[in-house]
Amino acid sequence: MDNPIIQLENVSYAYPDAEAPALSGVSLEIARRSFVAVLGHNGSGKSTLAKCLNAIVVPQSGRVLVNGLDTADEDKLLDVRRTVGMVFQNPDNQIVASVVEDDVAFAPENLGVPPTEIRARVDEALRRVGMYGYRLHAPHLLSGGQKQRVAIAGVLAMQPQCIVLDEPTAMLDPVGRREVLSAVRDLRRHSGMTVVLITHHMEECVYADRLIVMEKGRVAMDGAPREVFPRVEELRALGLTVPETVNLLHQLREAGWDLPLDALTVEDCASKIAELIVS
Amino acid sequence: MLKDITLGQYFPGNTVVHRLDPRTKLLWLLGYIVALFLAKNIWGYALMLGVLITESALAKIKPKTLLSGLKPLIFIVIFTAVVNLFYGTGEPLWQWWILKITAEGIRKAVFMALRIMLLVCGTFLLTYTTSPLQLTDGLERLLGPLKKLRVPVQELAMMMSIALRFIPTLIEETDKIMSAQKARGASFDTGKLSERAKALLPLLVPLFVSAFRRADELATAMECRCYSGGEGRTRMKQLVYRRRDLVTGIVMVLILASAIVLRTV
């Protein structure tokens, strides 16, 4: 892969007092402008992996390079963090200010950006997540999905090259989940930003270019979603369920119907079944 | 019930008082307090009363709202007045044992009560017309010179604004924990005082645990957004002194001068 944005070289990390390491010998490269989903159940090391990507966690052995900068280098810390932005699970605990636009302005203010440019960045970031109309609202009065979109705008205003979302929908209702996911997909489509989405919802991975499945601190599977999801038995062995669409196709196949397993979206799946019925 | 709590009540509005720079308003309050303590006769107090009435009229704050802020302080006002009542010297108008009331005592009592009320109302006018966020901002800029003495002004202002940001979140959380405890049979508003205090413990412990967890997560999130202390930070919203701030400043200087002149009357 030429010039990847993030490289992990044999990264290992164990939390103090933990029995098993959270990450053991992970090597990965994340290509620029790609949409990578990282999947795994609780304790698989996926959150630790996310935290390695912008130096919240510095590996005990191996190294992480962001744009060629080693995350262990304290002098380059700000450069790493402004390159890779991070959105967390709980929207309440990452909003700093009492007014939406002031919160979005937080990162550029920290970077010492001139006031007029901050204003421009804030307005653009809020428009991109569809929250411009709420710029003067108080965050605690917004819904979970709206708060999480404000948090995403807060990262966008920093103008990072890569955005890492660590289970951004885990605390949201279905409506909020949909809002946040469509905002994430828009990011990719319109700005070509590198997106790393950490999740345990299968459906959220369907639109990714690449799917990494984590298990016990290691990479268990790695490939395009249409290559990974058909491996239904393997995924089940890892304690993961496959998306509803794949599940349906899999059951139909077992019942003797000749269907492909790589129709991941609902539309694809429906049309494949329709084709079979027609023929 | 917790929803009713508001800190430093703010009544949003768009009057000239609301639009003044928070720094101007803070300095105004300082001048107002100095002028108030300069007053020592009826004319001095009349001036300050006039200032307060004009100010609240400009801010469109009803006298009733302003006076309602005094309610919790009634006891202190009366207590101070009564104590002062007996402290006059001169010809007693009324005497019983060692207690005596003189004309000067009455004067002192009335002025002292008036002074406290004017002080409280003047301060309330500031918080009524300035959002907590603006106040924090104004304080940060005004105290800016203290940075040279290594006072972490920006950090303190940041802490204050984060505290303001989390008040509603923590109130919501307290409500949730209370409901959860009530559902399991806890009671917060019956029983003796000691029992009620004990009932608060299962409320406070989870609240504290969650506050620490939130603080930890927030700190990580702030670091991810490149926060590294006050140094080198810029602000999106700049405070700018305008003509109205200059006018306000001149008015305050005139008030202070009149207050000094009126002392000699």
Side-chain angles (χ1 to χ4, degrees):
Chain A
M1 202 182 296
D2 23 292
N3 194 15
I5 185 158
I6 297 172
Q7 291 165 278
L8 280 79
E9 296 173 357
N10 205 16
V11 169
S12 296
Y13 184 84
Y15 288 100
D17 303 328
E19 280 174 29
L23 291 176
S24 48
V26 175
S27 294
L28 277 177
E29 287 188 345
I30 292 172
R32 269 169 216 283
R33 300 179 212 291
S34 60
F35 180 178
V36 179
V38 179
L39 200 63
H41 59 76
N42 291 337
S44 61
K46 61 186 193 304
S47 264
T48 313
L49 177 74
K51 289 188 175 118
C52 278
L53 302 183
N54 74 343
I56 303 171
V57 163
V58 175
Q60 285 146 344
S61 71
R63 56 180 196 158
V64 180
L65 300 178
V66 172
N67 263 348
L69 303 171
D70 193 330
T71 58
D73 186 351
E74 294 250 348
D75 297 334
K76 298 279 186 273
L77 196 62
L78 276 187
D79 288 321
V80 167
R81 292 209 168 131
R82 68 195 296 178
T83 310
V84 180
M86 186 101 166
V87 176
F88 295 91
Q89 194 180 89
N90 188 339
D92 270 324
N93 295 351
Q94 49 189 322
I95 292 177
V96 187
S98 316
V99 180
V100 166
E101 61 175 15
D102 287 347
D103 183 73
V104 178
F106 184 68
E109 282 179 343
N110 290 336
L111 293 169
V113 175
T116 45
E117 202 199 319
I118 300 182
R119 180 81 252 174
R121 284 190 185 193
V122 167
D123 290 349
E124 199 216 322
L126 281 170
R127 284 206 180 90
R128 273 170 59 185
V129 296
M131 290 297 290
Y132 185 71
Y134 293 89
R135 66 190 179 283
L136 296 176
H137 282 231
H140 70 272
L141 299 176
L142 301 176
S143 73
Q146 290 173 325
K147 279 190 235 181
Q148 199 59 290
R149 275 146 69 201
V150 169
I152 293 174
V155 170
L156 290 182
M158 196 162 74
Q159 299 189 336
Q161 294 169 28
C162 173
I163 183 166
V164 178
L165 304 108
D166 187 2
E167 299 198 46
T169 62
M171 300 182 77
L172 306 182
D173 56 18
V175 179
R177 264 181 69 190
R178 235 170 292 142
E179 285 172 14
V180 169
L181 284 176
S182 91
V184 170
R185 276 161 57 200
D186 281 349
L187 284 185
R188 251 279 280 164
R189 217 173 297 149
H190 299 304
S191 61
M193 195 178 283
T194 312
V195 177
V196 178
L197 177 68
I198 316 282
T199 183
H200 59 245
H201 288 291
M202 303 300 141
E203 286 77 12
E204 296 180 3
C205 307
V206 165
Y207 297 96
D209 312 323
R210 180 180 172 197
L211 180 59
I212 296 169
V213 181
M214 298 285 296
E215 166 70 10
K216 290 181 184 155
R218 291 172 195 280
V219 175
M221 296 183 203
D222 186 353
R226 5 184 106 243
E227 296 158 22
V228 174
F229 280 132
R231 292 151 75 179
V232 177
E233 308 299 338
E234 278 175 76
L235 283 168
R236 288 211 175 124
L238 294 176
L240 297 167
T241 51
V242 293
E244 297 290 332
T245 46
V246 178
N247 194 19
L248 175 65
L249 295 170
H250 184 70
Q251 286 185 19
L252 287 170
R253 268 172 80 101
E254 285 191 334
W257 298 93
D258 178 30
L259 277 163
L261 273 175
D262 60 356
L264 302 181
T265 62
V266 176
E267 294 78 15
D268 275 0
C269 177
S271 68
K272 286 286 187 307
I273 294 172
E275 275 170 32
L276 186 78
I277 293 170
V278 170
S279 66
Chain B
M1 80 179 209
L2 285 163
K3 291 254 151 69
D4 305 332
I5 299 174
T6 47
L7 188 99
Q9 267 199 357
Y10 168 57
F11 297 105
N14 197 22
T15 69
V16 71
V17 181
H18 284 87
R19 285 196 308 256
L20 278 176
D21 190 295
R23 288 171 298 182
T24 312
K25 283 192 268 191
L26 282 163
L27 290 173
W28 169 276
L29 183 65
L30 195 69
Y32 174 87
I33 292 171
V34 170
L36 190 59
F37 278 88
L38 282 172
K40 65 170 195 181
N41 54 31
I42 179 93
W43 304 112
Y45 283 102
L47 171 75
M48 294 323 289
L49 191 63
V51 169
L52 185 79
I53 290 170
T54 319
E55 205 185 327
S56 53
L58 281 175
K60 294 200 178 129
I61 300 285
K62 292 193 195 88
K64 207 178 129 199
T65 323
L66 210 52
L67 288 175
S68 69
L70 280 174
K71 252 185 225 156
L73 295 163
I74 281 178
F75 176 74
I76 294 176
V77 174
I78 293 176
F79 181 78
T80 321
V82 169
V83 167
N84 273 282
L85 199 59
F86 299 111
Y87 263 89
T89 49
E91 198 62 25
L93 297 171
W94 174 90
Q95 195 159 16
W96 176 75
W97 193 37
I98 54 162
L99 297 175
K100 60 175 182 182
I101 295 175
T102 64
E104 199 209 332
I106 294 175
R107 216 174 69 103
K108 261 193 173 170
V110 172
F111 282 170
M112 196 47 92
L114 206 55
R115 180 180 284 179
I116 297 175
M117 290 196 287
L118 284 171
L119 188 69
V120 172
C121 288
T123 317
F124 274 149
L125 259 182
L126 176 76
T127 60
Y128 283 172
T129 58
T130 321
S131 74
L133 213 65
Q134 274 186 305
L135 269 183
T136 320
D137 244 18
L139 268 177
E140 182 186 339
R141 308 292 158 102
L142 278 180
L143 298 178
L146 289 181
K147 267 182 243 167
K148 293 210 177 73
L149 299 172
R150 303 210 174 169
V151 179
V153 177
Q154 274 191 307
E155 281 77 3
L156 288 173
M158 176 62 73
M159 279 158 63
M160 208 164 126
S161 65
I162 288 176
L164 288 170
R165 143 80 183 87
F166 274 91
I167 285 171
T169 310
L170 289 177
I171 287 177
E172 205 176 290
E173 180 140 38
T174 313
D175 265 344
K176 243 187 246 168
I177 299 173
M178 270 178 128
S179 312
Q181 307 283 32
K182 273 186 195 157
R184 284 181 258 162
S187 155
F188 294 103
D189 31 41
T190 54
K192 276 182 283 180
L193 195 64
S194 61
E195 282 167 13
R196 277 199 243 176
K198 262 185 209 155
L200 278 181
L201 203 65
L203 178 70
L204 289 178
V205 172
L207 195 63
F208 263 73
V209 170
S210 119
F212 280 116
R213 205 195 55 235
R214 280 181 194 281
D216 184 40
E217 282 183 26
L218 184 72
T220 310
M222 284 170 74
E223 281 193 339
C224 285
R225 287 160 79 186
C226 299
Y227 183 73
S228 52
E231 201 122 327
R233 279 199 95 209
T234 47
R235 302 303 295 271
M236 173 171 74
K237 289 173 184 161
Q238 300 287 315
L239 292 177
V240 189
Y241 283 125
R242 297 180 193 282
R243 219 177 77 92
R244 54 176 174 261
D245 296 296
L246 182 68
V247 173
T248 311
I250 293 171
V251 170
M252 186 31 85
V253 170
L254 291 178
I255 290 172
L256 279 168
S258 325
I260 293 167
V261 171
L262 286 173
R263 274 171 77 87
T264 60
V265 177

